[in-house]
Amino acid sequence: SNLTYVLGMDVFGPITDNAAGIVEMSPSCPEAARDAMDRLDAAGNTTKAFTKGFAVGSAGLACFLLFNAFLDLVRDYTIVTPTIDIVKPEV
């Protein structure tokens, strides 16, 4: 499914970032390895940026569904049917 692909792309960024940090801290690392890790780190940053929209969208959907489930429970256990007016929020 699309979810596994996006999650795989999402974890590529932190893994390459950690590997690039290890290569940078290692004193005897050849320059070719540093260049390769810089390219992989740039690719990891790009994939992380691409998958950020999916993460934000799925978090927004999860918030909406959890709030709707809360309203369903309120409706089940009370007589009052809850209404939410986002134009006039009352606390």
Side-chain angles (χ1 to χ4, degrees), residues 14-81:
I15 291 172
T16 56
D17 191 37
N18 290 343
I22 291 171
V23 167
E24 286 178 12
M25 290 186 292
S26 142
S28 62
C29 189
E31 191 63 33
R34 291 177 191 257
D35 291 339
M37 286 313 303
D38 286 342
R39 287 194 303 268
L40 284 174
D41 191 32
N45 292 339
T46 303
T47 59
K48 188 69 174 171
F50 283 149
T51 58
K52 187 67 73 178
F54 180 81
V56 169
S58 62
L61 179 62
C63 289
F64 171 74
L65 293 174
L66 285 171
F67 190 67
N68 195 26
F70 170 74
L71 291 179
D72 287 343
L73 286 174
V74 169
R75 195 173 302 117
D76 290 342
Y77 288 103
T78 63
I79 300 171
V80 179
T81 301

